[in-house]
Amino acid sequence: MRDTDPDILVGFEVQHASCGYLLERSAAIGFPLDRCLSRCPFHRSTLESRPDTYGQQQQSGIHVCGREILNVWRLCRQEIKLGLYNYTNVCAKVLNKRVPSFPPQLLHSWFQHLASPHSLKRQVLLYLLEKASNTLLILEAMELVGRTCELARVFGIDFFSVLSRGSQYRVESMLYRLARTQNFLLLSPSVQQRQSQPATECIPLVMEPQSAFYSSPVCVLDFRSLYPSVVIAYNMCYSTCLGKLVEPDSDGNVKLGVSSLRRAPGLLASVREEAIITPNGMAFLPPDKREGVLPRLLREILQARVAVKKLMKQVGGDVKLYRTLNSRQFGLKLIANVTYGYTSAGFSGRMPCADLADAIVQTGRETLERAIRTVEEGRQWGARVIYGDTDSLFVEIPGRSREEAFRIGREIAAAVTAENPAPMELELEKVYQPSMMVAKKRYVGYSYDSPSSKPVLDAKGIEMVRRDSCPLVMRVQEKALKVLFETKNISKLKSYMEGVFMDIIASNLNINEYVFAKEVRQGTYASSTLPPAATVNATKVLRDPRAGALHAERIPYVVVCGQPGARLVDLVLDPRELLASSGMLRINAQYYITKALIPCLERLLSLFGVDIRRWYLELPRYSRASSRDHASHEGSIRSHFQSMHCILCDQLSRTAVCAECTSLPQVALCTMQNRRGRVERDLARLCRICVSCVGSMRLVTGCDAVDCPVLYDRVKAQQLWEASSRIDWGVNFLEW
DNA sequence: TTCGACTCCTAT
DNA sequence: TCAGATAGGAGTCGAA
């Protein structure tokens, strides 16, 4: 530290590990490490002052005077969307590199190992060295320092405030500088004033979508920066607001936001003709009388962004400059978008104004409603609005080609832009074909940027893009949609889904596919039963208090078999425990199929009138994975059976041990594989066959297999299979 | 069985 | 001390 005197200290996780651990450890032995790290040794250290709860939750809560401390996993959490933010997963996703992750206990035991002290000690040190260097590589790959510097420059705030402070701080930094030049001061309402402000009354328009499958092209149009445009176009600002169109009280005041406005008598009447009146009954001065601070700020931000984007096209091969400019235009976009939030920040706002926020929202809403009317009344387009949310419009163009849809979409955009004041602009963003509207904020489609471009599967709000399902569900839903959109054939989808069900029942999948991961906020839960991820974390804490989740850390868990009727929270487990149980615990196939997979696909497929639940129930080899006996026989041979029933004849099993060699039955491939047809193969994959005497089918069915009439009646087995596939959906069911 | 509270996460 | 907003869907669980 003394040699290099760094400005920034970096750790992958600096609270429980890295410098947080060192600081606590040194405090425990009475060594003043914090003063050694500090550039100002007499400055009071974090550990001596009060614990910084807010800082611990948001960043690390560790402050060293004169240096910035970066908590890399938390920065990753802000920057990129991942299912898990542990060291291994971040390396895999950011660096594209597989690295091992050893728990501290293991490293400790290696380091202390007496048998081969040098080699193992060396391994531990090399591992830690690599972890440190990977942490630096992660920061570099995300370009975090460079981008943060650029944002600091754009907003005019310091480096660490970009990472640690909220958006109000950014808005105020810019707003205050501009307000000063116009001789305005910003209002600082008290907490009481803020809390007694009436709630906002206006809400954005979210249409109820016409849930269906659309084979015709659907144009997606949206207003570019709707709220900033509204503020500029209608000159909405604290400084231009004339208040509601109501008579003032006896003192000549009208209520406005957290405070009230003294309106000079006759003022409203004098500008009545020119004043801008918003749909919620607020009056604003026109820009030629006085341009508001907010509109001017936003106008300059949007203009600057256009200029930066223009510059980006001219930089040519200079990658570094291009990235810098890209960070700058992104920062400008961010600040424009959160300025509306600043006016309506009711919970923690420093200068909220509900009336101003309402005026912006309601004007935006009426703009969208007017656009919808324009589309519906434009007979020449033959278009229909099927969905809209806040600033976007989904317009179906029935029976037209994609090329025509692009043309019509651009015409609509131009027509709507023309009927609104500058700088409001409706843009054609993309065209979907085909697409499905599922619910509000939930839809999916093949998206085209231009008539000739390659389509991209674009999903919003459904499980495929949500992190509260597991990889299995995300993968299967995406694949199912692709099969549906590409082959247009329900029968193909059915056979794909049957394969998936079989794989789950036969436990052919990697455990990673079953892992849910959710954020845990210990100490915020009101209800008596903790949510699953918090339950898993709580059991970890019992074993090692330092292993507990950091605030908002994502904790992985899997669902295993248990007693019938058990609550979900009683069936969840750390994935490592499942691996360590050496087969004593099993993935709850029933749960994953009927509670996770089927409902999410049902919501999509019910739009076709397809009953996917029946596909599962009618699987001929449907294994009645009963967990009924599992608990009572835990550790006994019975826990290795998914069902105590013969999978074919449904008889209750009478023997559980291989009749020939009396060894444990295991999952194995059947020697019947070489016989013809997939029926046998699929049956065999589900069978539990004795590995000691491979080839024996005795244990296959759980009943006395040689005597099982059904298994050896291949004709009957074939019939069972065919019965389930008899429903022919036809190739032409979906036509477009 | 229904419904509401709680929790999580996404769209805008 | 610090903390943009609301709308909305889905899963889970316990009380009605």
Side-chain angles (χ1 to χ4, degrees), chain A residues 334-575:
Chain A
L334 274 183
I335 200 77
N337 282 341
V338 296
T339 303
Y340 155 71
Y342 184 81
T343 65
S344 78
F347 170 65
S348 61
R350 290 170 46 83
M351 198 172 74
C353 180
D355 293 309
L356 181 57
D358 270 349
I360 298 172
V361 171
Q362 195 61 19
T363 309
R365 184 187 174 112
E366 304 229 336
T367 304
L368 186 65
E369 284 171 346
R370 202 161 52 238
I372 293 170
R373 276 200 302 277
T374 305
V375 174
E376 304 260 293
E377 286 164 7
R379 297 260 175 264
Q380 71 277 26
W381 297 317
R384 201 164 60 99
V385 177
I386 51 174
Y387 180 57
D389 182 346
T390 313
D391 65 350
S392 61
L393 277 178
F394 289 63
V395 181
E396 189 200 7
I397 321 280
R400 302 295 192 97
S401 72
R402 235 176 1 253
E403 286 78 9
E404 287 176 298
F406 270 96
R407 180 181 56 76
I408 292 172
R410 278 192 279 268
E411 282 178 24
I412 291 175
V416 172
T417 302
E419 66 180 28
N420 281 295
M424 303 188 63
E425 185 188 349
L426 187 68
E427 276 184 322
L428 176 63
E429 198 192 328
K430 57 201 169 192
V431 170
Y432 281 156
Q433 190 184 29
S435 59
M436 289 169 94
M437 296 291 138
V438 186
K440 285 178 174 175
K441 300 181 190 288
R442 264 144 229 251
Y443 53 88
V444 57
Y446 260 150
S447 157
Y448 292 82
D449 286 339
S450 70
S452 53
S453 63
K454 274 190 78 165
V456 187
L457 187 66
D458 185 26
K460 298 281 162 148
I462 60 174
E463 285 76 0
M464 214 181 100
V465 294
R466 292 180 66 90
R467 292 179 296 176
D468 48 3
S469 60
C470 58
L472 168 72
V473 172
M474 296 169 81
R475 177 177 64 84
V476 171
Q477 192 183 45
E478 180 170 359
K479 176 75 181 167
L481 281 167
K482 282 187 171 160
V483 168
L484 201 60
F485 286 178
E486 273 162 25
T487 70
K488 313 154 189 183
N489 184 333
I490 295 273
S491 303
K492 284 230 173 72
L493 179 62
K494 185 177 181 197
S495 62
Y496 169 68
M497 285 313 302
E498 283 170 347
V500 171
F501 292 146
M502 303 265 292
D503 281 342
I504 297 173
I505 294 167
S507 27
N508 282 345
L509 302 176
N510 189 311
I511 290 203
N512 289 333
E513 297 237 28
Y514 296 103
V515 177
F516 290 93
K518 291 184 185 170
E519 282 191 353
V520 170
R521 291 179 189 82
Q522 217 63 274
T524 64
Y525 298 110
S527 54
S528 51
T529 49
L530 290 175
T535 310
V536 170
N537 182 50
T539 53
K540 265 201 276 190
V541 172
L542 282 181
R543 228 169 287 154
D544 175 7
R546 265 194 108 76
L550 301 153
H551 186 255
E553 186 179 344
R554 296 182 76 85
I555 298 294
Y557 67 89
V558 292
V559 182
V560 296
C561 295
Q563 300 219 358
R567 299 175 310 172
L568 178 68
V569 284
D570 300 327
L571 302 177
V572 296
L573 211 60
D574 187 317

Side-chain angles (χ1 to χ4, degrees), chain A residues 75-130:
Chain A
L75 296 172
C76 289
R77 180 179 164 265
Q78 292 172 7
E79 292 279 322
I80 46 178
K81 187 172 142 186
L82 294 179
L84 269 177
Y85 292 96
N86 57 27
Y87 170 61
T88 318
N89 201 38
V90 172
C91 281
K93 295 285 157 61
V94 178
L95 302 180
N96 208 4
K97 187 169 168 182
R98 285 178 69 95
V99 296
S101 170
F102 302 120
Q105 293 88 340
L106 187 62
L107 291 176
H108 178 254
S109 74
W110 285 355
F111 200 72
Q112 304 249 310
H113 209 272
L114 292 173
S116 53
H118 297 302
S119 63
L120 274 179
K121 261 197 179 122
R122 190 179 140 79
Q123 284 304 314
V124 173
L125 294 174
L126 283 177
Y127 169 73
L128 293 175
L129 189 62
E130 201 201 336

Side-chain angles (χ1 to χ4, degrees), chain A residues 25 42 55 59 149 190 206 221 265 279 362 429 462 588 690 705:
Chain A
R25 190 77 193 116
F42 304 109
Q59 285 297 324
C149 286
S190 68
V206 185
L221 302 132
Q362 195 61 19
E429 198 192 328
I462 60 174
N588 194 332
C690 172

